[in-house]
Amino acid sequence: MAKSSIHDVAKAAGVSIMTVSRAVRGVNGVSEATRLRVLEIAKTLNYVPNGNARALATTGSNMIGISLPTLFNDVFADVLLGMRRTFQQAGYDSVVDTTDYSSDGELQFIERILQWQPLAVILTGVDHDETVRARLPRANIATLELWDITDHPIDFCVGIDHREAGVALGRHLVEKGYRAPAFIGAPAGKDTRADKRVEGLVEAFRAAGGRTLRRISVSDDNAFISGYTGFEQIDRDRRPDVVLFLNDHMAFGGLMRAEQEGLRVPDDIGIVGFNELAITKVLPRRITTMSTPRRQIGLVGARNLLARLNGVTVPEKTILPCTLVPGQTTRAQ
Amino acid sequence: MAKSSIHDVAKAAGVSIMTVSRAVRGVNGVSEATRLRVLEIAKTLNYVPNGNARALATTGSNMIGISLPTLFNDVFADVLLGMRRTFQQAGYDSVVDTTDYSSDGELQFIERILQWQPLAVILTGVDHDETVRARLPRANIATLELWDITDHPIDFCVGIDHREAGVALGRHLVEKGYRAPAFIGAPAGKDTRADKRVEGLVEAFRAAGGRTLRRISVSDDNAFISGYTGFEQIDRDRRPDVVLFLNDHMAFGGLMRAEQEGLRVPDDIGIVGFNELAITKVLPRRITTMSTPRRQIGLVGARNLLARLNGVTVPEKTILPCTLVPGQTTRAQ
DNA sequence: TTGTAAGCGTTATCAT
DNA sequence: ATGATAACGCTTACAA
């Protein structure tokens, strides 16, 4: 069954291509009778309109490109969930791609996606390759930066204040009496949001005269495993009193390792996660963590983007609040 | 900075659009001098070739469309991992979309993606809406069905034998003395691969004269939580001796609930997962599960697809093996 | 209600 | 090495 074009349908139906065009788009200007006949024939011929031709003729698509660091993280799945549904209901297509946390990968995404004349582009975070800014003139392409915030977004951003989250977490731990923190996560520079949280932690502990935060980098694809192996790398002679992880899955991996090493949590060592991922809700002892409004970020982001596409001015910077979730993996007092 | 077309670049460079076209594509037929000059100007003008026009002119894209049920499942992230990288290195673009386990969603994916004249389409599973087959004439569009297998694929398939995996798991449990199984997972009909595994389980237990398998359906987005809540729904008066879950995350959720209810695992009740997800590797007591070759499915699938696109005939059906992983959540003897 | 003609931004083909 | 022209499949604008 060969691909058929609008011409084939027109010929088979004995009408002009314009009539076919109108019929398949469902616009006015075709009698009910011919419309039905044309659609019938289109179906038999397995006709599928050529999107490239359409986009070319109308000079503009209805596509929104979305760039995420990875799919191996429930955080981004959560963000996507509300977002894509909203776009679809509004009649937009969205295309997702991943950069594997590389700013070069993000640049490549931009280059690729721009060829398709997207209506809008959504990026993760606010730290990009220099070129990215130049490539995204906000006059032509609405640009949403998600999950992090800045005073000078490319266009507008919706996210949380990671540094502030780090400070809040740090202060909470300081209050509990912790003074010797360690952080286990991606290598510095890879996940800039995590880097900002670490900055906040460092600040909070320094203010309390604590020990310098030790940072341990892990790189396994999987969070459970990198949490586990990261914990192994802790200097036993100079053990931290609390270990913060990039996220809850890593924290769980670390917790498992700690217990295997015979350490009692939280008596011997504290364990702290981030995000309040679903796993924390099924554990008998809740992991101390910070709840992040991921679904909401997706929803607000999508809503603002739609507004922006309709010509409404939206706030350049939307900060959504995080909530500290004290658990049983840090001391009570 | 307005969007500039090839015409603008041509004008600015004082050459014809064909020269620009050749320069930008890096094909022969342009002197080194003009090539450099044109590229220089293209960069200053922020010129990005229009992919729609290109695809239209060359009547064909280099795009591969990928349809997955969900991103909330490490299984599919694993499958994707090797695949997309392979495609990219081979010079193909790939576009991923999710159907949320609905065959209607899959059909919509097909309709949408076909407009862009993809070179190939990748679907999850082998059970599709009737229309899907008609829309994918294998003469025009290479079609790979992933993760499940059938004797009559649309084009070709690479996956595991889910029914057989269920039988193997069932027999193993029967050997351990289990006779009263329950299954906790998606509602029947939603995840057809899981349904096939359940069929296999039923067969194995029936052959051993066991009790009829009880099936409990859960629908929360999150696996940990649905495992937990699913376990709550178990009939306490007629408790199964072993509970099988759709996957390891659900099994972990169920395990947490079991222990909270004061049940001892595996003495009072057995817990079984599926896939051997990474979390199982950090647990002190390994969950009994079935290891599935997800990375390999992605790699073999991608390799075969590339071969197929190069005109090589590939096997219609490739079955990859699963491996039983006995753990400490089922009885030893 | 239907059709004709021009054009969207590129590439293939054939000239020069 | 470079350019002119037609074509890709559709939609917009205008005509009948």
Side-chain angles (χ1 to χ4, degrees):
Chain A
M1 210 177 304
K3 280 175 211 171
S4 50
S5 79
I6 198 171
H7 293 98
D8 305 320
V9 181
K11 196 173 300 174
V15 296
S16 75
I17 60 170
M18 263 320 293
T19 301
V20 177
S21 173
R22 288 193 260 254
V24 295
R25 277 180 300 157
V27 300
N28 277 340
V30 199
S31 73
E32 191 61 10
T34 54
R35 200 175 64 81
L36 290 175
R37 190 161 46 88
V38 168
L39 289 182
E40 173 80 22
I41 291 177
K43 178 162 278 178
T44 8
L45 261 48
N46 241 303
Y47 167 66
V48 178
N50 184 320
N52 295 120
R54 173 174 292 178
L56 187 57
T58 59
T59 56
S61 71
N62 65 328
M63 207 221 65
I64 298 172
I66 306 176
S67 166
L68 300 175
T70 176
L71 297 177
F72 283 98
N73 189 331
D74 287 353
V75 167
F76 300 115
D78 278 333
V79 171
L80 265 187
L81 194 67
M83 217 159 53
R84 295 198 78 178
R85 207 162 286 170
T86 307
F87 290 148
Q88 201 185 331
Q89 283 165 359
Y92 298 101
D93 278 356
S94 56
V95 171
V96 179
D97 209 341
T98 56
T99 65
D100 196 27
Y101 287 103
S102 108
S103 69
D104 193 56
E106 187 177 69
L107 182 55
Q108 284 175 31
F109 162 80
I110 296 287
E111 312 264 61
R112 262 202 314 279
I113 206 76
L114 284 187
Q115 300 190 177
W116 305 102
Q117 321 280 119
L119 261 180
V121 167
I122 300 180
L123 303 176
T124 305
V126 297
D127 308 290
H128 316 285
D129 187 288
E130 293 250 336
T131 324
V132 169
R133 257 194 137 75
R135 290 256 188 258
L136 293 173
R138 64 163 138 280
N140 300 318
I141 305 173
T143 304
L144 164 58
E145 290 164 281
L146 272 181
W147 182 230
D148 197 1
I149 51 156
T150 175
D151 286 334
H152 303 289
I154 297 176
D155 188 0
F156 70 103
C157 60
V158 176
I160 65 174
D161 186 330
H162 290 269
R163 187 171 210 287
E164 197 46 55
V167 170
L169 212 40
R171 288 207 182 123
H172 172 76
L173 296 170
V174 163
E175 270 174 35
K176 297 282 185 190
Y178 291 107
R179 289 293 182 278
F183 177 85
I184 298 182
K190 190 169 185 197
D191 183 339
T192 56
R193 276 78 61 193
D195 292 343
K196 292 175 190 177
R197 300 200 292 270
V198 169
E199 269 178 38
L201 289 171
V202 167
E203 177 183 315
F205 278 99
R206 182 162 40 209
R211 212 166 85 180
T212 308
L213 178 140
R214 297 292 182 102
R215 182 157 182 172
I216 294 174
S217 296
V218 286
S219 52
D220 191 280
D221 267 343
N222 185 270
F224 293 112
I225 292 175
S226 50
Y228 188 92
T229 58
F231 196 93
E232 286 176 339
Q233 295 171 41
I234 288 176
D235 184 352
R236 286 149 182 259
D237 299 326
R238 219 152 170 276
R239 200 161 63 203
D241 55 11
V242 61
V243 183
L244 295 108
F245 291 80
L246 183 69
N247 65 39
D248 298 314
H249 284 187
M250 290 189 54
F252 180 78
L255 178 60
M256 292 300 102
R257 177 64 197 177
E259 296 190 330
Q260 187 178 317
E261 290 185 9
L263 294 171
R264 287 163 311 158
V265 176
D267 302 321
D268 296 328
I269 196 164
I271 297 280
V272 179
F274 196 81
N275 280 325
E276 201 190 30
L277 299 177
I279 190 176
T280 64
K281 309 213 168 150
V282 304
L283 298 177
R285 279 178 314 161
R286 292 294 182 88
I287 292 176
T288 297
T289 189
M290 179 74 83
S291 175
T292 52
R294 308 181 292 281
R295 286 286 232 281
Q296 209 194 341
I297 288 177
L299 286 173
V300 172
R303 220 160 32 213
N304 282 7
L305 185 54
L306 291 183
R308 166 81 170 69
L309 290 176
N310 290 324
V312 180
T313 304
V314 299
E316 280 210 332
K317 171 165 124 180
T318 305
I319 309 183
L320 268 29
C322 301
T323 314
L324 189 74
V325 181
Q328 288 89 57
T329 57
T330 46
R331 304 197 260 270
Q333 77 114 353
Chain B
M1 211 178 303
K3 280 177 211 170
S4 50
S5 80
I6 198 170
H7 293 99
D8 306 319
V9 180
K11 197 172 299 173
V15 296
S16 76
I17 58 170
M18 267 317 295
T19 301
V20 177
S21 173
R22 288 192 261 254
V24 170
R25 280 179 297 158
V27 301
N28 277 339
V30 198
S31 73
E32 191 61 10
T34 52
R35 200 174 64 80
L36 290 174
R37 189 161 47 88
V38 168
L39 289 181
E40 173 80 22
I41 292 177
K43 178 161 277 178
T44 9
L45 260 47
N46 241 303
Y47 167 65
V48 179
N50 184 321
N52 294 120
R54 173 173 291 177
L56 187 57
T58 58
T59 56
S61 71
N62 63 330
M63 207 221 65
I64 298 172
I66 305 176
S67 165
L68 301 175
T70 176
L71 296 178
F72 284 98
N73 189 331
D74 287 354
V75 166
F76 300 116
D78 279 334
V79 171
L80 265 187
L81 193 66
M83 216 159 53
R84 296 198 77 180
R85 206 163 288 169
T86 306
F87 290 148
Q88 202 185 331
Q89 283 165 359
Y92 298 100
D93 277 357
S94 56
V95 171
V96 179
D97 209 341
T98 55
T99 66
D100 197 27
Y101 287 103
S102 107
S103 70
D104 192 56
E106 187 177 69
L107 182 54
Q108 284 175 29
F109 162 79
I110 296 287
E111 312 264 59
R112 261 202 314 279
I113 206 74
L114 285 187
Q115 300 191 175
W116 305 103
Q117 320 281 117
L119 261 181
V121 166
I122 300 179
L123 303 176
T124 304
V126 297
D127 307 290
H128 315 286
D129 186 289
E130 293 249 335
T131 324
V132 169
R133 258 194 136 76
R135 290 257 188 255
L136 293 173
R138 65 163 138 282
N140 301 318
I141 305 173
T143 304
L144 163 59
E145 290 163 282
L146 272 181
W147 183 230
D148 197 2
I149 50 156
T150 175
D151 287 333
H152 303 289
I154 297 176
D155 188 359
F156 69 104
C157 60
V158 176
I160 65 175
D161 186 331
H162 289 270
R163 188 171 209 286
E164 197 44 56
V167 170
L169 210 41
R171 287 208 183 123
H172 171 76
L173 296 171
V174 163
E175 271 175 35
K176 297 282 185 190
Y178 290 107
R179 290 292 182 277
F183 177 85
I184 298 183
K190 190 169 184 197
D191 183 340
T192 56
R193 276 77 61 191
D195 292 344
K196 292 175 190 177
R197 301 200 291 270
V198 169
E199 270 179 38
L201 289 171
V202 167
E203 178 184 314
F205 278 98
R206 181 160 43 209
R211 210 165 86 181
T212 307
L213 178 140
R214 296 292 183 101
R215 183 158 182 171
I216 294 174
S217 296
V218 286
S219 52
D220 191 278
D221 267 342
N222 185 269
F224 293 112
I225 292 175
S226 50
Y228 188 92
T229 57
F231 196 94
E232 286 175 339
Q233 294 172 42
I234 288 176
D235 184 352
R236 284 149 184 260
D237 299 326
R238 220 153 167 275
R239 200 162 62 206
D241 55 12
V242 62
V243 183
L244 296 107
F245 291 80
L246 183 69
N247 65 40
D248 298 315
H249 284 187
M250 290 187 55
F252 181 78
L255 177 60
M256 291 301 100
R257 177 65 197 176
E259 296 190 330
Q260 187 180 313
E261 289 185 10
L263 294 171
R264 287 163 311 157
V265 176
D267 301 320
D268 296 328
I269 195 164
I271 297 279
V272 179
F274 196 81
N275 280 325
E276 200 190 30
L277 299 178
I279 191 177
T280 64
K281 308 212 169 151
V282 303
L283 298 177
R285 279 178 315 161
R286 293 294 184 87
I287 292 176
T288 297
T289 189
M290 178 75 83
S291 174
T292 52
R294 308 181 292 280
R295 283 290 229 281
Q296 208 194 342
I297 287 177
L299 286 173
V300 172
R303 219 157 36 211
N304 282 6
L305 185 54
L306 291 184
R308 166 83 170 68
L309 289 176
N310 290 323
V312 180
T313 304
V314 298
E316 280 210 333
K317 172 166 125 180
T318 306
I319 309 183
L320 266 30
C322 300
T323 314
L324 188 74
V325 182
Q328 288 89 58
T329 56
T330 45
R331 303 199 261 270
Q333 75 115 351

